[in-house]
């Protein structure tokens, strides 16, 4: 069933686990995420990067919403990393559960102003808002942020940013990177702990692909309630197609199963398996 993002995040926060938010680009990605979540009795987020939205348009949103409505588990649909008021308004109009107002490329005051305005728009339509304080480095869908341009989240600013914008979830930068990690991933857990101490809304970690399980588990312990995953899914998809031969549907199904394996492993790692309201142990 289509679920409000904020309810799934709040349940994760209360339950001490995290949701997987998986970037999808087509039917195969949507099928893989929903199938893995249903197999695991897990809530999940389907999320659409702006470049995927450029590619798939409102039909891609409609595909995600239809899959969510027909799913046997709670599924939210989220617009990821949007810097565009028009794209955010279009996605809200199409019925997404939540949006990421990404003002992280702006200076602090401009980020607050943009995010607060997008939050007003989203809340008017019953959708939730995630925003980023700091600036994650790395590459996603052709958008690269150099390490020199990256900024860690400042715990001293975090409480003011959440209060000034009214957001429902805060994406933090603690050493996480979009795409492949240039070296051994290192996350600043002292910084995460300091942010957690002053921010009440659920915390989000981007750049989950390539993070060792131990770092993910520590991040869950310190309050991360949503992990964004894209690169590992894309690699599974492209890898399955690369070996492709034979019937088209056999090829597509192999791609779905390859992505499904990634989603299944992440759901287990994040702890959201068997976390449904109907599960007796959760009542
Ligand atoms: O917003 C999407 C995620 O941050 C993707 O990060 O490709 O490193 O998993 P990732
Ligand atoms: Zn991201």
């Amino acid at each position: 069933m289509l679920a409000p993002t904020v309810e799934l995040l709040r349940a994760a926060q209360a339950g001490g686990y995290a949701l997987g938010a998986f970037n999808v680009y087509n039917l195969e990605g949507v099928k893989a995420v929903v199938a893995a979540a249903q197999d695991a009795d897990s809530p999940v987020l389907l999320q659409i990067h702006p470049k995927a939205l450029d590619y798939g348009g409102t039909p891609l949103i409609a595909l995600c919403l239809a899959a969510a409505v027909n799913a046997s588990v709670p599924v939210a649909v989220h617009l990821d990393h949007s810097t565009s008021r028009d794209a955010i308004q279009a996605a809200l109009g199409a019925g997404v559960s939540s949006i990421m107002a990404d003002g992280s490329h702006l200076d602090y005051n401009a980020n607050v102003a943009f995010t607060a305005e997008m939050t007003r728009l989203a809340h008017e339509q019953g959708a939730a808002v995630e925003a980023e304080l700091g600036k994650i480095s790395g590459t996603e869908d052709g958008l690269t942020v150099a390490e020199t341009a990256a900024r860690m989240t400042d715990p001293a600013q975090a409480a003011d940013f959440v209060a000034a914008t009214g957001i429902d979830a805060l994406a933090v930068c603690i050493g996480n990177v979009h795409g492949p990690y240039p070296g051994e991933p290192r996350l600043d857990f002292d910084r995460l702990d300091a942010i957690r101490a002053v921010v009440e809304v659920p915390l989000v970690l981007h750049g989950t692909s390539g993070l060792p399980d131990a770092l993910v588990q520590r991040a869950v312990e310190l309050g991360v309630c949503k992990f964004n995953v894209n690169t590992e899914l894309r690699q599974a998809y492209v890898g399955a197609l690369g070996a492709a031969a034979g019937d088209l549907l056999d090829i597509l199904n192999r791609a779905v199963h390859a992505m499904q394996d990634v989603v299944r492993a992440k759901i287990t790692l994040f702890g959201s398996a068997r976390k449904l309201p109907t599960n007796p142990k959760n009542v």
Side-chain angles (χ1 to χ4, degrees):
M1 68 290 292
L2 178 60
T5 301
V6 68
E7 284 184 19
L8 299 185
L9 288 175
R10 287 292 184 183
Q13 188 179 46
Y17 60 90
L19 291 172
F22 301 94
N23 289 79
V24 292
Y25 295 77
N26 55 23
L27 173 62
E28 287 70 34
V30 172
K31 284 169 63 82
V33 172
V34 173
Q38 290 181 154
D39 288 351
D41 266 351
S42 171
V44 76
L45 271 76
L46 293 166
Q47 65 181 20
I48 300 171
H49 189 277
K51 292 282 188 174
L53 189 56
D54 291 346
Y55 169 73
T58 48
L60 179 59
I61 295 177
L63 165 64
C64 292
L65 290 170
V69 165
N70 291 300
S72 63
V73 294
V75 179
V77 179
H78 178 77
L79 176 64
D80 193 17
H81 281 295
S82 186
T83 59
S84 156
R85 179 197 180 100
D86 291 346
I88 286 171
Q89 283 189 306
L92 291 169
V96 297
S97 318
S98 53
I99 59 105
M100 178 185 184
D102 189 351
S104 59
H105 58 292
L106 304 169
D107 67 35
Y108 180 76
N109 290 330
N111 188 358
V112 167
F114 171 72
T115 302
E117 175 58 9
M118 296 305 104
T119 302
R120 185 186 63 76
L121 290 176
H123 285 176
E124 276 176 358
Q125 302 195 52
V129 179
E130 170 191 328
E132 181 174 316
L133 183 62
K135 183 71 188 157
I136 184 173
S137 67
T139 299
E140 181 175 31
D141 277 334
L143 175 67
T144 296
V145 174
E147 281 193 47
T148 50
R151 292 188 316 276
M152 297 274 222
T153 301
D154 178 354
Q157 276 185 336
D160 175 72
F161 182 72
V162 172
T165 56
I167 57 174
D168 305 288
L170 178 67
V172 298
C173 301
I174 57 171
N176 42 315
V177 169
H178 274 152
Y181 279 79
E184 182 60 27
R186 286 192 309 277
L187 298 183
D188 184 343
F189 288 122
D190 291 340
R191 184 181 297 269
L192 178 58
D193 202 23
I195 295 165
R196 171 77 288 156
V198 296
V199 165
E200 185 274 331
V201 299
L203 301 180
V204 180
L205 199 71
H206 287 234
T208 305
S209 295
L211 278 182
D213 290 0
L215 296 189
V216 170
Q217 287 160 343
R218 183 71 181 125
V220 174
E221 290 164 7
L222 289 173
V224 170
C225 301
K226 174 176 177 273
F227 287 98
N228 284 17
V229 185
N230 191 351
T231 301
E232 285 187 41
L233 270 188
R234 298 155 66 107
Q235 288 170 341
Y237 180 76
V238 171
L241 290 189
D247 175 74
L248 173 62
L249 287 179
D250 291 343
I251 293 169
L252 294 178
N253 278 312
R254 279 201 297 273
V256 170
H257 294 143
M259 290 187 281
Q260 201 172 324
D261 290 344
V262 172
V263 177
R264 182 183 305 112
K266 296 299 183 190
I267 282 175
T268 303
L269 176 61
F270 301 155
S272 64
R274 291 173 303 289
K275 294 292 193 299
L276 297 182
T278 50
N279 283 8
K281 53 175 151 315
N282 288 337
V283 294

